[in-house]
Amino acid sequence: MVHVYNCHPFASQQIVQVEQEPGLVCCGGGALFVVTTGGCKVEAYSLEKEGCPLICRFASMGTVRRIQHSTIGDYLVTIEEKNSATYLRVYTNWRYQAEEKARVGVRLLGHLLRGASVWGGVQMEIIEIPLSEHPVTLACCSVTGDLLVGCENTLVLFALRRRTQQNLQKENQQNLESSWSITEQSWNQSPGRTSSQNQDLSVLDFERSVILHLSKITPKQVALCGGYVAVQAELEVLVLKLEATAEPTAVEEHSDSFKSDFPEDQSDFLLIPKHQELLGDRARDCDVPVSIEQTGLEDRRHYTLSYVLFRRFTPEFFQGSSVEETQLHSLQLYPMFTSNQSVSVDEPACMFCFFSLPNTGYLYSLRGGVELLAAYQYPENVLQAVLTDHLLHVITKNALQSFTVRCAALAARVEDPYIDTTMKACPPCSLEVCALRMQLFIGLRLVCAYGRHVILLSTADTETPEETERHTQRRSLELKEHNMLTGIFLAVGIDPATTPALKNLLSRPFLSRRWAISSPKESSAVGHGWNLYVVDTVPPLTLYQEMVEYSRRYTETNPQGQSLRHLLSEAHLLLRSSLLESSEQRQIGDGAGKMATQMHREELEEAFRQNCAQLGDSFSRGSQKDCHLALPYYRMSGLSVTEVMSRNRPLPGGPPSYGPGFLFYLKHYLLEETDQSLSQEDADEVTSIFIQSEPSMLVSVCASPCMMNADPAATLQALQRLEDTAGVSVPLTITMATMKLRLGDMAQYTELMERHAEMLLVYGFIEEPRLLLHGGGGKHTRVCPTALAGQLADSQPGLLVAAMVALHENSKVQLEQADHVFKELGCENTLQVDFWEAMLMASSQDAVIQELLFRLASVYIDRLTASESPTKHKSLKSVDDLISSCSHYGALYPWLTVLDPAQTSSYQHQEALHKLQALLCGPSLSVGSVAPLLESLSEETLWGFSLHLLCATRRGQYGSSIEQLLDRCPQAIIAYANHQLQDKHMALWWQKLLPELCNRTRAAAAATTTDGVLLGALKETLVVVAMETSPAEFLELIPDDGTASYFLPHLLTCSQRHLLA
């Protein structure tokens, strides 16, 4: 379906003052080129100046049959005929022919002229390109300036080269080598060159790079852009992709899958192939084999070929078109760059292919997946079409009409990955196209476009030479077909003249292969009228404003209609295309031009925001299907939530309801974590909106940080009504308690909080975390506690800690965010530590566990080293609770009780010591990670010594630990040995402990002092040694200092045990 809007895409028109009747027309580089009817003179007119004054005119070397201009290189290329021969010629430096007396140099491809005049850039050059076949059509690449020539069975690609005088000198020295540089940027020659600049001047030339051989398609029109090659026959279009590689690759031959079932001698009959559309890789299955011939001598790159698109049409009787008139035309490859690309360097982000039948045009996207973007249904037969950034211009015999295009929709999605999300939106590529106002002319023949200029050639009551030739061929074919079929019928005994049906059949020329030949026309006298028009399109911003004005009619009559939304979407795509275009201009502009471009871009951006707001309004009141699009459009508009609410209030006299799109936007806004708070008036309006539209959302609405200023009394009444209708729920109860807290009614607050058990309240916070915290949503996003969290910290700290642990385990809050919450509450040394201990019990993530172990060890050490207790807070969990409920806390070793200091320290000090000892006794804490922290603890105190001894023991340093323990507290040595010296460490009893006790006891006796502790420890040690060793081993352990009698009882015990064993 094509929408029709009475908008004016054309601003003005002027007639180019051409002296002779134009035959061919093309444009580019700010100029309009006209080939006179005789075909031997080319005139160039300026499109950038008022009145289109003449720039220059020059004679061609033959009759021009085709002409094309390339912006890259600023050259003209023609197909000319002379003396029944066809030539391909390129005209460079044509701007220097302004006086028609300048010298002209003629040379062959690859042969540069010598002399200062050439390098000074003061004369036009004609480059003749020899070809083995007759050229039929040609095309220039708008990105690289390369030239593609279509012959009857081949396509020849010529790469544009730029050669400097320095390269020429180097070639003269080496003879066999040459330096060529690929021209990938605009080559705009300036006449104001001096001889001092000769070293930097360059001369254009071409190199034959590659030849594509086509065996089953005859090119009628070709296109080249960014490595894509498009070929158009009468009813077929083939698009290929050429890619250059540094190393040669094996060329895969395309299998000839099409085999005719009919003998060759039946070539007089018409075989009509079926309709086909093959996209992407499937295009390889077409019956058009293509082979590559590498011909570049200086270009060392190798080309690979891939199929992109194949489309074949079957001739049919279309609306107002006969089979013979059904043929393709207006083939075009169109690139589009995004705002973050450089036009002169980067490959186009998007590539589009357009071609047209007389009654339908087709626009395909080629990059990132081939797809049909739009099909244009014309109201009458179209003679020619041209695609531009903003519009598609088509001509019929008597009118110029413009259609909108979908290129910007695809380019926007390539440029911005956030489109089609809740952040940004853009109308779909499949949006139905629309036709704008038609401009009437008489006898239109040709159309081309440059920028905002559309050039039209009209001739009244004339017939072109091509049409005359086709009519002659048509009549000869009709006669041949009539005679052949009449002979067939007479041979079988049927006289067609006696049967009206057969007579009518023979009058229709449907058997010829050449169905593209148009129907004959009555010949007329030689043309008596022609005009060459330059029609300027209005600026996109002006057209957008007219579309907005046009849309107000729909707003008044049917604000929910599809036509309004469609027109606003068309305006949106128009602005997007203009923004992409302004980005390209901003890259290549300078000085005042850049400033003007920047001001124009600011106007476009402001209009874009207005359009997004209008689209948001349309989707906010639309159907449930597309209501979600209101959110991204309102976001792109930059409107505040207050402004959006004012645009969506129910109309006076209308139904007091809100659209689903507006409610969708409002819910997402309230769910976002933002620092902006609504005023009390706006917050109360939001509450009333949801009371009326979705009461079940009231809890989430009240929990939003934006609603901090809402009236708590009115909100509480709404919540109570919700409870009466929907029943009691934990989040609803907590929300009502929050409102009571804001009102200062502590008694009612306490009553509400005591309705449910603590665990159910925790589940309520999991369901709606924003009742406790505001912010979040990411690891580094700041969070803040609510007033309810502050109250819980004072009255129910256990509930707060349990809720925070539950939120962390349910990925509602990160560890760093929870730490920030406790710091905001002023509980960093109290509840925060309780939270870490509770997290250690609940978490199963190893990284989190190691982080918590280190934090807790640091806190315990800080509390031990503090001169006085930093807080009088009593922990939620005692050391016994932690040991019994958390596997990371180990039971205290028995020998630690011997080292326990006298009950002179504070309770907090004692608790910190025992918790740290329990961590060191547990299996999870890495001793190496806390060893640097323990260096701050002195070993002079027994509790400090116990911690260092624990670390040494955990590291396996039992020998040194035994020595230190005998030095500081020998009372604990047996308890230490009984616990630590077991299993594989049992030998230390007699290898280390027994010798140490013997030596220390002997030293004490020598000092005439009796140490009962050492003697008792020695006896206990000998009992263990007698139980674990053999008599022979025990004898070796007895010292030879005359004290053997002391060991004999133990030796006897060892012997008796050994005998019993």
Side-chain angles (χ1 to χ4, degrees), residues 362-417:
Y362 300 91
L363 178 63
Y364 282 87
S365 168
L366 303 182
R367 284 182 62 87
V370 185
E371 64 173 324
L372 177 64
L373 291 185
Y376 296 87
Q377 300 293 331
Y378 306 134
E380 57 180 311
N381 284 356
V382 166
L383 303 178
Q384 197 174 356
V386 60
L387 181 67
T388 66
D389 276 339
H390 309 291
L391 298 170
L392 171 70
H393 303 289
V394 302
I395 59 169
T396 61
K397 293 180 180 179
N398 298 310
L400 166 66
Q401 190 167 15
S402 298
F403 295 83
T404 56
V405 295
R406 299 289 166 263
C407 301
L410 185 66
R413 286 168 169 82
V414 173
E415 179 184 33
D416 194 343

Side-chain angles (χ1 to χ4, degrees), residues 502-698:
L502 291 179
K503 187 177 182 180
N504 183 35
L505 176 68
L506 292 177
S507 66
R508 290 173 53 191
F510 59 89
L511 292 180
S512 174
R513 290 179 182 273
R514 310 186 179 216
W515 52 71
I517 300 175
S518 58
S519 58
K521 296 181 182 179
E522 295 296 331
S523 59
S524 60
V526 178
H528 58 268
W530 47 267
N531 277 312
L532 187 61
Y533 299 96
V534 176
V535 180
D536 293 338
T537 59
V538 298
L541 193 58
T542 304
L543 183 57
Y544 160 76
Q545 292 169 349
E546 185 178 1
M547 286 182 171
V548 172
E549 185 67 27
Y550 195 89
S551 68
R552 291 175 182 168
R553 306 176 186 177
Y554 296 108
T555 305
E556 296 171 356
T557 57
N558 186 12
Q560 306 302 324
Q562 290 295 325
S563 296
L564 171 61
R565 188 176 302 171
H566 184 274
L567 185 56
L568 292 176
S569 298
E570 291 287 3
H572 184 92
L573 292 178
L574 184 67
L575 292 175
R576 277 197 180 274
S577 178
S578 302
L579 288 171
L580 290 174
E581 184 181 17
S582 67
S583 299
E584 298 177 10
Q585 295 174 354
R586 186 169 51 180
Q587 292 178 5
I588 62 178
D590 57 353
K594 272 194 173 182
M595 184 176 298
T597 302
Q598 181 63 27
M599 293 179 61
H600 177 61
R601 184 174 180 84
E602 291 175 357
E603 294 178 357
L604 287 174
E605 290 175 347
E606 177 61 28
F608 183 78
R609 287 190 290 269
Q610 294 176 1
N611 174 262
C612 289
Q614 293 167 341
L615 278 170
D617 294 341
S618 175
F619 286 108
S620 67
R621 296 187 178 93
S623 63
Q624 194 73 27
K625 177 182 176 182
D626 299 322
C627 66
H628 63 282
L629 293 175
L631 174 62
Y633 280 116
Y634 274 140
R635 279 178 169 167
M636 292 190 295
S637 70
L639 296 175
S640 65
V641 65
T642 303
E643 294 170 322
V644 173
M645 289 167 57
S646 65
R647 301 169 73 101
N648 284 273
R649 291 191 178 101
L651 299 175
S657 60
Y658 298 89
F662 170 64
L663 294 176
F664 183 83
Y665 162 80
L666 203 55
K667 283 186 283 188
H668 271 263
Y669 176 81
L670 296 174
L671 288 173
E672 290 178 349
E673 300 298 340
T674 176
D675 295 334
Q676 299 178 354
S677 297
L678 298 176
S679 63
Q680 180 177 348
E681 180 181 358
D682 293 334
D684 291 342
E685 183 178 356
V686 170
T687 304
S688 64
I689 289 173
F690 282 95
I691 291 173
Q692 176 182 342
S693 303
E694 291 190 48
S696 60
M697 289 291 299
L698 273 179

Side-chain angles (χ1 to χ4, degrees), residues 893-900 942 945-946 949 961-962 964-981 989 993 997 1013-1014 1017:
Y893 298 157
W895 54 270
L896 288 173
T897 59
V898 183
L899 298 177
D900 195 19
L942 276 180
F945 170 71
S946 68
L949 191 63
S961 299
I962 290 172
Q964 294 177 15
L965 193 55
L966 288 173
D967 290 338
R968 293 293 302 272
C969 187
Q971 297 91 338
I973 189 62
I974 296 302
Y976 178 87
N978 284 330
H979 187 268
Q980 304 295 152
L981 305 183
W989 279 89
L993 181 56
L997 287 174
V1013 175
L1014 290 176

Side-chain angles (χ1 to χ4, degrees), residues 441-555:
F441 290 89
I442 298 176
L444 290 179
R445 295 293 181 186
L446 296 174
V447 62
C448 58
Y450 175 77
R452 291 179 45 232
H453 309 288
V454 180
I455 295 88
L456 301 172
L457 173 62
S458 68
T459 57
D461 297 331
T462 61
E463 188 176 78
T464 63
E466 291 82 357
E467 290 176 337
T468 303
E469 182 181 356
R470 286 202 300 267
H471 295 162
T472 303
Q473 296 177 359
R474 164 73 181 178
R475 286 189 290 269
S476 64
L477 286 171
E478 285 180 353
L479 180 61
K480 179 181 177 181
E481 292 170 355
H482 185 274
N483 294 336
M484 179 183 65
L485 291 178
T486 302
I488 292 173
F489 285 118
L490 291 175
V492 296
I494 301 175
D495 186 3
T498 61
T499 307
L502 291 179
K503 187 177 182 180
N504 183 35
L505 176 68
L506 292 177
S507 66
R508 290 173 53 191
F510 59 89
L511 292 180
S512 174
R513 290 179 182 273
R514 310 186 179 216
W515 52 71
I517 300 175
S518 58
S519 58
K521 296 181 182 179
E522 295 296 331
S523 59
S524 60
V526 178
H528 58 268
W530 47 267
N531 277 312
L532 187 61
Y533 299 96
V534 176
V535 180
D536 293 338
T537 59
V538 298
L541 193 58
T542 304
L543 183 57
Y544 160 76
Q545 292 169 349
E546 185 178 1
M547 286 182 171
V548 172
E549 185 67 27
Y550 195 89
S551 68
R552 291 175 182 168
R553 306 176 186 177
Y554 296 108
T555 305

Side-chain angles (χ1 to χ4, degrees), residues 760-794:
L760 291 178
L761 293 175
V762 170
Y763 288 142
F765 288 122
I766 294 174
E767 187 175 344
E768 186 49 76
R770 294 182 302 168
L771 293 171
L772 204 60
L773 308 173
H774 284 164
K779 182 176 180 180
H780 303 289
T781 305
R782 183 180 177 182
V783 294
C784 299
T786 62
L788 178 61
Q791 178 62 30
L792 291 179
D794 295 333

